[in-house]
């Protein structure tokens, strides 16, 4: 009887945790992934796909330095937006958003930096589920996330708007204070763009 009581308590606790993790609304999941000072003189919006090798290269080799030099010092406010190139990158984007804002940039970095492992795996969805578990998503929560039609439509609508309204035709694309810059850029290239804008 004692074992049964303990089992029931554990099940109840697990259900409560699952409910808390799934408490995010679709609107909250689709909220902008933004970091940096609201009063920063420069805004950068990155449009990227989680299966894009050039986007992964930017994250591996440039983003941390850009963040330290410009975002962490209050000079740049930075937003990441999804432009999925395929189904797998769409599912990955959904998983990042289901994990919640506290895990947003951490999961993006982890996925980009290990892109060659999970994206080229024989079971990429299984690999994505592992990242989800690290961020606190159970198998049931991950499966529910992948089946969230409203989240899917929201991500695809954002990508369509970027293509139609901002002419985003390649990943990564960076919009710096309203000006579009295409391709994977180095810190030195960002320096040339940002220096005249920061006074």
């Amino acid at each position: 009887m004692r074992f049964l009581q303990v089992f029931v308590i554990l099940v109840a606790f697990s259900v409560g945790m699952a409910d808390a993790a799934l408490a995010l609304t679709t609107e909250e999941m689709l909220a902008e992934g933004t970091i940096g000072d609201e009063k920063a003189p420069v805004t950068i919006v990155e449009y990227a796909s989680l299966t894009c090798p050039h986007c992964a290269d930017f994250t591996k080799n440039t983003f941390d330095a850009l963040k330290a030099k410009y975002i962490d010092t209050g000079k740049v406010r930075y937003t990441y937006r999804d432009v999925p190139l395929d189904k797998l990158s769409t599912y990955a984007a959904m998983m990042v958003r289901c994990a919640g804002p506290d895990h947003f940039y951490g999961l993006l970095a982890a996925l980009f930096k290990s892109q060659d492992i999970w994206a080229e795996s024989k079971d990429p969805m299984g690999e994505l589920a592992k990242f989800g578990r690290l961020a606190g998503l159970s198998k049931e929560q991950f499966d529910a996330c992948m089946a969230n039609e409203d989240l899917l439509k929201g991500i695809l609508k954002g990508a369509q708007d970027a293509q139609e309204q901002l002419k985003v035709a390649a990943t990564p694309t960076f919009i710096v204070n309203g000006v579009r810059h295409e391709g994977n850029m180095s810190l030195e290239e960002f320096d040339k763009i940002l220096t005249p804008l920061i006074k």
Side-chain angles (χ1 to χ4, degrees), residues 117-189:
I117 297 173
W118 66 268
E120 297 176 17
S121 166
K122 293 181 179 179
D123 180 21
M125 293 302 291
E127 293 298 319
L128 279 182
K130 290 179 184 178
F131 281 97
R133 285 196 293 276
L134 291 174
L137 292 176
S138 67
K139 182 183 184 304
E140 292 74 18
Q141 290 165 340
F142 177 82
D143 291 343
C145 177
M146 296 301 99
N148 188 327
E149 289 290 331
D150 290 336
L151 178 58
L152 171 63
K153 290 176 183 177
I155 289 173
L156 295 181
K157 175 68 164 54
Q160 183 179 7
D161 288 347
Q163 292 164 356
E164 293 178 354
Q165 298 172 15
L166 299 171
K167 309 304 178 187
V168 173
T171 56
T173 290
F174 302 92
I175 307 294
V176 182
N177 279 8
V179 179
R180 187 176 69 251
H181 302 270
E182 293 185 353
N184 177 17
M185 297 195 298
S186 66
L187 182 64
E188 290 72 24
E189 289 173 300

Side-chain angles (χ1 to χ4, degrees), residues 41-183:
V42 176
T43 60
I44 298 176
V45 181
E46 176 189 359
Y47 289 89
S49 169
L50 282 160
T51 55
C52 158
H54 298 295
C55 304
D57 187 71
F58 168 75
T59 297
K60 290 177 184 177
N61 298 310
T62 305
F63 180 75
D64 289 343
L66 180 73
K67 182 175 182 292
K69 187 171 184 177
Y70 292 106
I71 301 171
D72 294 344
T73 56
K75 298 171 184 175
V76 165
R77 186 158 173 82
Y78 197 94
T79 297
Y80 175 93
R81 293 179 183 164
D82 298 296
V83 184
L85 296 177
D86 48 39
K87 286 184 179 180
L88 183 57
S89 57
T90 304
Y91 290 137
M94 292 171 70
M95 188 270 291
V96 169
R97 293 182 175 279
C98 285
D102 291 343
H103 299 288
F104 189 84
Y105 274 91
L107 267 178
L108 284 180
L111 288 169
F112 276 130
K113 290 179 180 180
S114 60
Q115 184 190 84
D116 57 336
I117 297 173
W118 66 268
E120 297 176 17
S121 166
K122 293 181 179 179
D123 180 21
M125 293 302 291
E127 293 298 319
L128 279 182
K130 290 179 184 178
F131 281 97
R133 285 196 293 276
L134 291 174
L137 292 176
S138 67
K139 182 183 184 304
E140 292 74 18
Q141 290 165 340
F142 177 82
D143 291 343
C145 177
M146 296 301 99
N148 188 327
E149 289 290 331
D150 290 336
L151 178 58
L152 171 63
K153 290 176 183 177
I155 289 173
L156 295 181
K157 175 68 164 54
Q160 183 179 7
D161 288 347
Q163 292 164 356
E164 293 178 354
Q165 298 172 15
L166 299 171
K167 309 304 178 187
V168 173
T171 56
T173 290
F174 302 92
I175 307 294
V176 182
N177 279 8
V179 179
R180 187 176 69 251
H181 302 270
E182 293 185 353

